[in-house]
Amino acid sequence: MLRFAFLWILSLNLIPAFAQSPDVPEAGTSEAIKAATTDPHFISPLVDYVPQSVKVPSPEEFFGRIMGAPGELVGSEKAYSYARTLAAASPRVRVFTIGKSEEGRDIVMLAIADEAGIRDLDRLKAATAALADPRRTDQTAADKLITSSRPIYYFNAALHSDETGSTEAMLEFAYRIAVSEQPMIQNIRQHLVVLINPISNPDGRDKMVDWFYRYLKGKTDRNTLPRQSPPYWSKYTFVDINRDTHQQTHETTKAVHRMFHEWHPTVVHDLHEGVPFMMTWNGTGPYNPNIDPITYTEFLQLSMHEVESMTAMGMPGVSTWNFGEAFAHLYLDSVAMNHNSIGRGYETFGNGSAETEKRAISPGATTMEWYRPLPPPREVTWSARDNLNYQETGALIALDDAATHWQQMLHNFYKKSWDSWQKGLTQAPYAFLIPEDQGDPARVAAMVARLLGQHIEVSRAQNAIQLKDGSYPAGTYVVRLDQPYRNYAVDLLTPQHYPKDGEPPYDDVSWELPANYHLQANPTLDPAIRGASLTPLAEPPQVVGNVSGSGPIYLLKDTGQESFLAARYRLLKYEIEIAERDFASTGDKFPAGTWMISEQPGLHDALQAASRELGLDFTRVATFPDVQHHTAPAPRIGVWTPWADTDSIGWIRYSLDQRKVPYTYLRDEDIRAGGLRSKIDVLLYGHVDLELAEQIEGLPKTWSPMPFKKSPQTPSFGTPSESDDITGGIGYEGLAQIQHFIDNGGLMITLGSGSMLALEGGLVRFVRRSSGGVPRSTAGGGGSSSAASQQAATRTPGTHVRVTFDRPDHAIAYGYTVHTWVFRQNFPLYNTPRRWLRMAYCTTCLDGPEDRSGVVMEWGDPENKDFVVSGQAWGEENLIGRPAILDIPVGKGHVVAFNFNPMHRDMNWGDQRLLWNAILNWQAILEAPPKEPDQGPSPEPDE
C-alpha cells in the first residue's frame, strides 16, 4: 500500500501543472484521442490532448485527423512535408536531410529546442564534439562546456517497417514539444536539443503504407489477416537492417552514423514494437565488458524511471530488464553504446496495422514481476492510438528525466570518453598492430576501413617498428589505444567470451573483426609503441596491385584473396586455368588455386585494370606451368530469393552487387517455370529462416492473388523485384524443376538453413538431420519455430568455431589452410552421409555404412583443443566431426551444402572465399571423377 501511495505521489510530482494546464487543447482533439483510445488506462495526461497553436499547424490541421487514427497511416512524402512545414512555422524547429535511401528518398531529421537553442545549434554541436575528445578538452574546459551546453537526445523511428506506430507518434511528439507551454516541456526545450528521425527507413515505410491500404485496411480479425508485411523493407534486407552498425552497409545506417558523429548525441533512442505494452530496454546480462559501466547505470536509471512514472499514472504493461542481454551491440542504437553515449529503445505493442484489433497476451507477459509491477491483462482491444500513447508518454518522461539531469548526462558523456582514453594510456594492450601482408592486402585494407568508418583512429608505420613483443615492417597498420573510442577498438579487435552459464543470447555472440576477416591484429604490451613514427589515415587505404615480369603467361598466386570472384568477372571474356596442385615457377612457389592465363588479345590491359582496382598482383612468366589444372569459365549465377523470406539472401545480393558480379534474380515463379539449366550454371540458395515445408510451399495460397507490383494504388511496390502473386512458393513442381536442373548438370549451392531443402527435401539422399532447427530469435516472435534451435543441446549462436578440411585438395579449399575457422549460427546438425538409410524395420534393413567421400570440411580441429575462436558454444562435442561442407554428386550435377552461412550480414569476409571457390570452380566440381566411398564400419543390427 505504501508503495502505491508513493507512486501516486510521484505521478503528481511529475505532472504538477497539468490540472491547470497553460495549454489550450486544439478543438476536437481531446475527444478524438479519447475515442481512438480503447481504455482510459492506456493513456496519460501528457498526451490526452493536442495543444493549440495560432502560428504553427498541428498534425491534425495538416493531415485532417489525429495521429494514430484508426485505419490510417502516413507515408514518407506527407510526413516529410509536415516536418518542413513545422520547421518553417516555428523558430524552435529546424529540419535537416541527413541522407538518401537506396531508392532515392530523403532521410529527414528534425531538431527541436527553445529559440536560443536553435540559434546556437552550431555552438552546441561543437560543444558535444569537444566533450567527446578529452585529449583536446581538459577538465577545466569540460566543466565550462558542461554548464553552457546541452545534451542532445536523438529519437529514431520506423526502422522496421511493419512496426507502424512510431512515425505518427514522433510527428505529434515533435509538434507537442515545439509548441506546448507546459512547464515540463519548457524545461525540455531549455536544457536539451531533441533530434527526431520520424522515418529512418523511408523505402520500407512507403512499402508498408501501400501494403496496409492494399491488403489490411478494414480488416480487424487478427485470426484471418493476410500477411501483414511486404516482402521487402529495403533494397537488400528486412529485419537485418537493424543488424548493421558494425558494417554500415545500408543507407539508413550510414545516415544515422553520420548524424551521430556530427552531433554526438548523448542518447540514441530507437523505437520498436513487439512487447505488450511497453518494454524499455536495458537487458538481462551478461553485459559487454567493453562498454563503460557508467552507461549501464544510465540506461538502467532511465528505464526504471519510465517504468516507475508510467506505472504511477496507472498505465499497465510497462516493463524493463526482461528483453535481450545487452552483450552484443550490433544494432542501430548501438552506434551510441559503442561511442560513449547511451543507446536505448522501446518495444511497444503494435498491431502491424492501423486497425484496432482484439489481442491475446501470452501468459508469461501477464504476471506481476519486479521489472513489470503492473502487468497487462490477458486480453485487450488494442488500437494504433493506444500504441502511440505509450510511445509518446515514455518519450516525454525520458526527456523530462534528461532535462532534469542534463549536467550529469554531459558530465558522464565526457567522463566515459576520458576513461576510454586513459585506459589506452595506463592499461595494456597499448595498441594493435595489423600487418599489411597477410596474404590478401585488400582484405586487410577492408578491415581497416571498417575501423575508420567507426571513427577509430588508425595509422601506418613510417618505418620498421621494434617492440618487446614483436617486430613489424614499415606500412604496418597501427591502432593506438590512447583514443576516445579505445573500448570499441578493443571490442572489435579481440575475441568475445560469452559466459558458458549465460542465458540463450538474443543475437550473435561474436563480431570480432580479425576472426571475421581471417586476419591477425596483434596486441602489444609495450608502451614504446607510442614513440613510433606513425602517419594517421585520413581515408580508407587503397591497395593497388601490379603486373610484373615478362613472358606470355600470367600467374595470379592464390594466397586467399577475397577479390578472386570479382576479378573473374572483370576478366569475363578471357580463358583462365586454375592449378590443382602446388608448383614452382621462376624460383617462386605457387599454391593450388593459382590462376594461369595465356596471352589473349586485350588481356594485358584488362589485367592491369583489374590489378589496380582489386589489389591483385599478376606475374608474367615465359612458359605455362607443368601442373594439373582445369579451365574455369565464369558461370551464369542464379540467386533464388523466396518471397517468404528475402532477408538473409539480400546480403548475398549486396555482396555480389558491391563486387559487380552479375547474377539472375530468381523468384519462386521463375523456379516453377523451369528451364533453369538453359539460363544458369550455378543455382545459389542462401540461408532462410524457414522450415522445410515453408521453403517449398512459401506464403499460403489462401492469400492468393497477392501482387507485389508497382501500380497507381501501390507506387512503392515492385522493387527490387516484382510479382503478380507472391504466394505459393516454388511448390513441389518447383522442387522437381530444381531436381531437373541438378540432374542435367547444374551446380546447386545451399547455405545455412537453405541446406535443409537439399538435404531433407530429397535433392540429396542419405543424409539425416541429427538435431537443431531454424536459428530464429525467440525474443523476436519466432519462438515455436526456433525452439528446436534455441533449446538444442548443441548451440553455436553466432560464434566463430574451428573446422578442418577433410579434402584439402578440393577446389573449395583453395586459399585456406587445412585447419581454419568459420562463423556459425544455430543451424541443424547433420550426420555423415551413408551409403543408404534404413528402409524398413528389420534386422537387415538398417542404415548403410558411412560414406565420407562427400565431406569437404568437418567441424572441429583435432590439433587444437579450443573449439571456440570467439563467442561461445554449448554441446560442441556433439558437433565436432560432423560435416560442415558437403559436395554430393546428383545425376550429372552436384549439390554443395554449407552447414553455416559464409555470407552473414557482410561481416565474415574471411568465409566468403569458400563460396567464391565453389562458384569459380563450378565446372571442375561437376567434372571431378567420383571419389571412392570413404566408408566406416556398418552399424550393428538392433535386436
Side-chain angles (χ1 to χ4, degrees):
M1 182 64 72
L2 289 174
R3 170 63 174 166
F4 287 105
F6 171 75
L7 290 174
W8 180 75
I9 293 168
L10 175 71
S11 70
L12 295 181
N13 289 334
L14 179 72
I15 48 173
F18 274 76
Q20 299 85 28
S21 171
D23 290 340
V24 175
E26 187 170 75
T29 59
S30 297
E31 296 80 1
I33 290 171
K34 182 179 180 181
T37 300
T38 63
D39 187 300
H41 296 95
F42 300 161
I43 196 168
S44 75
L46 302 180
V47 298
D48 64 359
Y49 72 98
V50 173
Q52 178 180 290
S53 171
V54 216
K55 298 181 178 178
V56 182
S58 70
E60 292 64 40
E61 183 182 344
F62 187 87
F63 294 104
R65 62 175 176 85
I66 60 166
M67 296 290 89
E72 302 294 341
L73 287 177
V74 62
S76 68
E77 185 176 354
K78 288 184 178 179
Y80 290 162
S81 178
Y82 178 67
R84 293 183 174 107
T85 299
L86 186 61
S90 173
R92 299 168 179 171
V93 183
R94 283 189 63 186
V95 67
F96 299 87
T97 299
I98 61 173
K100 281 191 177 292
S101 72
E102 283 81 359
E103 294 183 9
R105 294 176 177 86
D106 286 346
I107 302 174
V108 167
M109 180 183 76
L110 293 157
I112 304 174
D114 61 8
E115 290 85 341
I118 292 297
R119 285 195 304 269
D120 267 3
L121 280 182
D122 288 341
R123 180 186 68 80
L124 294 171
K125 284 196 294 184
T128 54
L131 292 172
D133 191 349
R135 296 170 302 181
R136 62 186 182 93
T137 308
D138 63 22
Q139 187 66 59
T140 302
D143 289 342
K144 290 181 180 178
L145 287 172
I146 287 168
T147 58
S148 62
S149 56
R150 308 182 183 195
I152 298 174
Y153 199 118
Y154 169 87
F155 287 97
N156 197 73
L159 179 61
H160 284 164
S161 303
D162 67 339
E163 298 166 6
T164 55
S166 58
T167 291
E168 301 205 4
M170 286 297 102
L171 293 176
E172 181 177 291
F173 178 68
Y175 172 78
R176 188 181 303 278
I177 60 175
V179 307
S180 174
E181 296 304 331
Q182 290 286 359
M184 182 183 84
I185 292 179
Q186 289 186 42
N187 192 50
I188 289 169
R189 286 196 299 262
Q190 182 182 353
H191 291 113
L192 303 177
V193 174
V194 181
L195 305 179
I196 299 172
N197 183 340
I199 307 177
S200 59
N201 176 15
D203 295 348
R205 177 67 181 188
D206 286 353
K207 286 176 171 55
M208 186 62 221
V209 170
D210 285 352
W211 190 270
F212 169 76
Y213 284 109
R214 174 66 176 82
Y215 295 114
L216 302 175
K217 186 171 172 60
K219 298 176 181 177
T220 59
D221 182 357
R222 197 165 186 85
N223 294 324
T224 60
L225 288 178
R227 178 180 165 109
Q228 290 187 262
S229 170
Y232 275 101
W233 294 344
S234 67
K235 182 176 181 179
Y236 293 110
T237 69
F238 201 66
V239 172
D240 274 1
I241 197 172
N242 193 31
R243 306 293 189 275
D244 188 39
T245 207
H246 299 315
Q247 312 94 294
Q248 296 186 62
T249 59
H250 292 80
E251 293 304 320
T252 290
T253 315
K254 294 173 186 175
V256 173
H257 276 244
R258 281 193 301 269
M259 175 282 304
F260 182 89
H261 292 292
E262 178 183 354
W263 293 79
H264 298 90
T266 319
V267 181
V268 171
H269 190 142
D270 224 350
L271 300 172
H272 286 270
E273 297 173 16
V275 177
F277 291 138
M278 190 177 97
M279 162 64 68
T280 168
W281 302 342
N282 56 51
T284 61
Y287 294 134
N288 186 322
N290 293 313
I291 303 295
D292 193 295
I294 297 173
T295 300
Y296 293 127
T297 66
E298 288 175 311
F299 74 15
L300 284 165
Q301 186 271 325
L302 282 162
S303 292
M304 293 297 184
H305 179 68
E306 288 154 344
V307 173
E308 191 171 46
S309 300
M310 294 176 73
T311 301
M313 293 176 181
M315 299 180 77
V318 182
S319 62
T320 188
W321 184 76
N322 193 35
F323 185 87
E325 80 293 310
F327 183 79
H329 294 288
L330 44 84
Y331 313 101
L332 189 55
D333 70 288
S334 301
V335 63
M337 297 294 282
N338 295 326
H339 295 91
N340 302 322
S341 291
I342 307 165
R344 63 192 311 264
Y346 296 155
E347 293 279 344
T348 56
F349 199 46
N351 285 339
S353 166
E355 301 293 359
T356 301
E357 300 174 9
K358 289 184 178 179
R359 302 289 299 274
I361 311 298
S362 65
T366 59
T367 58
M368 182 178 180
E369 309 288 349
W370 69 264
Y371 54 84
R372 186 174 54 230
L374 185 59
R378 290 290 303 274
E379 293 182 352
V380 65
T381 298
W382 192 257
S383 70
R385 183 68 205 191
D386 295 333
N387 186 32
L388 183 153
N389 292 338
Y390 273 77
Q391 288 182 336
E392 196 175 343
T393 298
L396 286 166
I397 289 169
L399 290 187
D400 178 58
D401 193 38
T404 301
H405 303 103
W406 64 278
Q407 289 195 20
Q408 186 64 50
M409 292 189 86
L410 288 173
H411 170 80
N412 288 348
F413 177 62
Y414 177 75
K415 182 66 164 59
K416 288 183 288 186
S417 299
W418 173 278
D419 289 347
S420 186
W421 169 47
Q422 287 296 304
K423 278 186 179 180
L425 288 170
T426 61
Q427 297 180 21
Y430 299 104
F432 288 91
L433 294 98
I434 305 170
E436 178 184 25
D437 185 11
Q438 298 192 53
D440 187 0
R443 184 156 30 104
V444 176
M447 186 177 82
V448 168
R450 286 259 157 104
L451 295 169
L452 291 170
Q454 298 295 346
H455 289 238
I456 292 169
E457 296 165 3
V458 186
S459 301
R460 294 194 81 168
Q462 297 176 4
N463 309 301
I465 298 175
Q466 181 64 51
L467 300 170
K468 293 176 181 177
D469 41 21
S471 301
Y472 299 88
T476 297
Y477 298 102
V478 180
V479 182
R480 279 180 47 174
L481 294 179
D482 51 335
Q483 57 174 296
Y485 302 144
R486 173 263 180 202
N487 291 347
Y488 190 25
V490 171
D491 198 46
L492 289 176
L493 293 173
T494 59
Q496 277 68 55
H497 301 286
Y498 194 86
K500 198 83 167 181
D501 59 356
E503 291 296 313
Y506 185 74
D507 208 277
D508 296 342
V509 294
S510 177
W511 49 90
E512 180 204 350
L513 291 184
N516 273 303
Y517 282 77
H518 287 223
L519 297 172
Q520 297 298 318
N522 302 320
T524 179
L525 309 184
D526 189 348
I529 186 62
R530 293 199 290 269
S533 297
L534 305 175
T535 301
L537 292 176
E539 300 289 339
Q542 300 296 319
V543 176
V544 178
N546 66 83
V547 180
S548 60
S550 60
I553 307 301
Y554 297 82
L555 303 181
L556 175 58
K557 182 185 291 189
D558 187 350
T559 54
Q561 299 95 315
E562 189 277 333
S563 58
F564 267 32
L565 185 69
R568 186 64 193 92
Y569 286 89
R570 302 300 190 277
L571 306 171
L572 184 61
K573 67 179 183 179
Y574 300 104
E575 186 173 300
I576 295 174
E577 308 291 327
I578 296 182
E580 297 178 354
R581 300 286 184 271
D582 299 352
F583 66 92
S585 178
T586 62
D588 197 1
K589 293 181 179 179
F590 293 83
T594 292
W595 290 12
M596 305 178 295
I597 313 172
S598 299
E599 186 66 81
Q600 300 163 57
L603 174 66
H604 185 78
D605 290 344
L607 291 179
Q608 284 190 320
S611 70
R612 286 193 298 269
E613 178 192 358
L614 302 173
L616 297 171
D617 293 329
F618 293 87
T619 302
R620 302 180 69 174
V621 297
T623 59
F624 197 93
D626 181 15
V627 62
Q628 185 176 329
H629 60 276
H630 60 260
T631 303
R636 299 167 298 166
I637 304 170
V639 178
W640 168 31
T641 306
W643 287 114
D645 183 9
T646 63
D647 198 14
S648 295
I649 295 175
W651 291 106
I652 298 175
R653 295 190 302 105
Y654 173 81
S655 293
L656 295 177
D657 286 348
Q658 291 296 301
R659 289 153 182 79
K660 302 176 185 176
V661 172
Y663 60 91
T664 299
Y665 184 115
L666 294 173
R667 308 164 299 167
D668 293 337
E669 51 265 54
D670 300 320
I671 300 291
R672 292 196 304 264
L676 295 173
R677 192 65 192 89
S678 66
K679 303 169 187 173
I680 60 171
D681 304 304
V682 173
L683 175 59
L684 178 54
Y685 181 44
H687 166 62
V688 286
D689 272 338
L690 303 170
E691 292 287 356
L692 178 61
E694 297 170 298
Q695 295 186 36
I696 298 171
E697 298 173 12
L699 301 175
K701 287 190 73 65
T702 53
W703 299 336
S704 177
M706 185 172 270
F708 182 67
K709 200 168 187 177
K710 186 172 183 176
S711 72
Q713 185 186 9
T714 56
S716 70
F717 283 12
T719 57
S721 186
E722 67 175 20
S723 177
D724 291 321
D725 187 2
I726 64 173
T727 71
I730 59 170
Y732 291 93
E733 67 270 34
L735 187 63
Q737 292 295 343
I738 293 174
Q739 183 77 62
H740 188 67
F741 165 77
I742 301 168
D743 284 342
N744 282 275
L747 174 64
M748 184 178 192
I749 304 174
T750 60
L751 313 179
S753 291
S755 292
M756 228 182 247
L757 185 77
L759 303 182
E760 301 180 42
L763 299 175
V764 170
R765 300 287 304 278
F766 313 137
V767 179
R768 179 181 286 124
R769 188 205 291 202
S770 170
S771 63
V774 177
R776 290 186 178 123
S777 164
T778 54
S784 58
S785 297
S786 66
S789 168
Q790 296 287 333
Q791 298 169 13
T794 299
R795 289 173 285 130
T796 54
T799 298
H800 287 92
V801 296
R802 297 193 186 276
V803 289
T804 297
F805 280 103
D806 284 48
R807 296 174 59 182
D809 59 340
H810 195 286
I812 292 176
Y814 293 162
Y816 289 88
T817 56
V818 172
H819 304 290
T820 183
W821 63 83
V822 297
F823 180 87
R824 189 181 194 276
Q825 293 175 286
N826 285 331
F827 295 117
L829 273 65
Y830 291 98
N831 294 335
T832 301
R834 292 187 178 273
R835 300 294 303 282
W836 64 84
L837 294 182
R838 190 175 91 169
M839 292 167 279
Y841 181 65
C842 72
T843 302
T844 59
C845 303
L846 303 181
D847 289 352
E850 285 189 350
D851 178 5
R852 298 189 64 85
S853 62
V855 179
V856 177
M857 175 190 282
E858 68 177 63
W859 296 109
D861 177 356
E863 297 184 5
N864 194 309
K865 294 180 181 178
D866 294 325
F867 178 65
V868 173
V869 174
S870 176
Q872 190 53 271
W874 289 263
E876 56 268 34
E877 66 280 355
N878 209 26
L879 178 62
I880 293 170
R882 295 183 187 273
I885 301 176
L886 290 169
D887 173 15
I888 307 292
V890 177
K892 297 178 182 178
H894 276 239
V895 171
V896 171
F898 286 72
N899 191 225
F900 58 99
N901 181 11
M903 306 298 292
H904 180 69
R905 300 173 180 165
D906 200 46
M907 280 292 285
N908 51 337
W909 277 44
D911 299 348
Q912 290 180 357
R913 177 64 196 277
L914 295 163
L915 175 59
W916 299 164
N917 281 342
I919 294 172
L920 286 167
N921 298 280
W922 67 281
Q923 191 173 79
I925 290 172
L926 293 173
E927 295 176 352
K931 193 173 185 294
E932 287 299 315
D934 179 12
Q935 63 189 50
S938 299
E940 291 299 321
D942 292 332
E943 293 299 329

